[in-house]
Amino acid sequence: DALASIPPLYYVVGRKEIGAYYRRLKKAAGDLPLYFYNIPYLLNISLDTELAQSLYEEGSIQGMKYTHNDILTFRGIMEACGNSLNILSGPDEHLLNFLVMGAHGGIGTTYNCMPKVYVDLYQAWTSGDIALAQELQYQANRIISILAEYNMIPAVKAVMQMKGWDCGDPRGPFLPLSDEEKAQLKSELDAIGFFECGSRTAA
């Protein structure tokens, strides 16, 4: 349905090179919508408001996954581009924060292993029940804090397996959790009731 791409990596490049890269991608993608995947903590490159506005107004990007804690720039991009630029929150622990600031939705790693928490959070937000949305974000963050004690990608793979969805081992360079790590992870998640009530933890 759409193409999402991180900016160029390895070499440090500037706004001119990043813009040219996305223009070439869009030309190759044709009518397929192109999303800028902004994840600066991994790439040391961040999309600024001026470049976002330029790429959007010329039709090179139609959306963005914004995996960054810089809400000021996020909001600046939304105001510069308007509501028709489809912006999705990236940091799982900040979904509600970004919804409040205008994000249209979110894409996250931990959505895979606790979808009910995030669906309920989004529905609470859209219905105006901010207190419930807050509590669900708090619950998600408690689980995220446990997963973060391990390597996040292998931990989520392990949890999916525990829930009956064997997605296989993580691709290299990640290594799967050891049997001991899986047992410890399960114990910690059991302690907060993760596997009961549709992965909703107790308040």
Side-chain angles (χ1 to χ4, degrees), residues 47 49 52 64 66 73-81 85 87:
L47 179 63
T49 301
M64 180 188 316
Y66 193 90
T73 299
F74 165 84
R75 188 60 208 170
I77 291 171
M78 289 212 72
E79 293 185 5
C81 297
L85 177 66
I87 303 188

Side-chain angles (χ1 to χ4, degrees), residues 65 90 92 107-114 118 152-153 156 160:
K65 180 182 178 185
D92 299 18
I107 301 174
T109 302
T110 63
Y111 294 15
N112 293 283
C113 61
M114 47 176 162
Y118 290 105
M152 182 63 76
I153 300 297
V156 169
M160 294 297 290

Side-chain angles (χ1 to χ4, degrees), residues 136-178:
L136 289 164
Q137 184 70 74
Y138 301 154
Q139 292 173 0
N141 289 1
R142 293 183 195 112
I143 297 165
I144 292 168
S145 293
I146 292 174
L147 295 172
E149 295 173 8
Y150 304 82
N151 198 320
M152 182 63 76
I153 300 297
V156 169
K157 288 272 193 175
V159 172
M160 294 297 290
Q161 185 180 47
M162 294 172 197
K163 297 186 72 174
W165 296 91
D166 191 348
C167 302
D169 290 335
R171 288 183 293 179
F174 292 119
L175 296 173
L177 299 187
S178 67

